[in-house]
Amino acid sequence: MSVIKRGKFAELDGATVFALARLRQSVFVVEQACAYPDLDDYDLDAETVHFWVEGETPTEAVACLRVLRDRAADGNGAWKIGRVCTALQARGTGLSAKLFGAAMDFLGPEAEVTLGAQTYAAGFYRRFGFTEEGEEYDEDGIMHIGMRRPAT
């Protein structure tokens, strides 16, 4: 239950897309009671890479995230990590850190990386070299903070 998989949307089969969408819906929409359009065109972008860990079946994901170009970074080639989530039953197992570490390894130290962290999770991202940037903001009723890891 801890093999990290990755792929661009065009490489994903229907069962995987279903598993990722179901996990994100379960965490962001149902658990966090936040009705918002989770599925967006960024999932389909040719440069976006999805990372996930399957559960017991190929139609179950227990953790996922996506890596995409940060379009708000003034064209400097920065990347953005988003839609980071872990199923309730897999939390506290170290799986999220392993998955996030795999995404950071994929990007490498020369990549500038940004993210919008739910404020309570900022400490998790600090472990990977991210620092807070700007003021807290409310996104869909949940407090967030921008974070950045500069390129080396």
Side-chain angles (χ1 to χ4, degrees), residues 75 84 139:
V84 179
E139 184 173 314

Side-chain angles (χ1 to χ4, degrees), residues 1 10-11 21 29 49 57 63 67 76 83 91 101 103-104 106 118:
M1 186 164 92
E11 301 167 341
V29 178
V49 180
T57 70
V67 173
N76 66 1
R83 300 298 200 262
R91 293 183 196 154
M104 295 302 292
F106 170 79
Q118 292 184 4

Side-chain angles (χ1 to χ4, degrees), residues 1-104:
M1 186 164 92
S2 64
V3 175
I4 296 173
K5 299 186 174 198
R6 75 170 189 238
K8 295 182 177 186
F9 190 85
E11 301 167 341
L12 307 181
D13 63 20
T16 300
V17 171
F18 178 82
L20 298 178
R22 182 164 59 182
L23 175 61
R24 286 168 33 177
Q25 176 186 13
S26 173
V27 172
F28 298 131
V29 178
V30 177
E31 181 185 329
Q32 295 182 350
C34 184
Y36 78 106
D38 173 58
L39 298 176
D40 58 30
D41 290 342
Y42 297 122
D43 286 315
L44 302 171
D45 190 278
E47 287 189 284
T48 298
V49 180
H50 300 270
F51 288 76
W52 73 97
V53 176
E54 283 182 1
E56 298 296 319
T57 70
T59 59
E60 178 189 23
V62 293
C64 68
L65 61 80
R66 69 181 182 188
V67 173
L68 60 148
R69 286 291 179 182
D70 185 349
R71 288 165 178 52
D74 301 323
N76 66 1
W79 290 90
K80 184 173 187 173
I81 296 179
R83 300 298 200 262
V84 179
C85 63
T86 304
L88 190 59
Q89 74 272 17
R91 293 183 196 154
T93 65
L95 185 59
S96 297
K98 184 176 177 182
L99 182 67
F100 199 84
M104 295 302 292

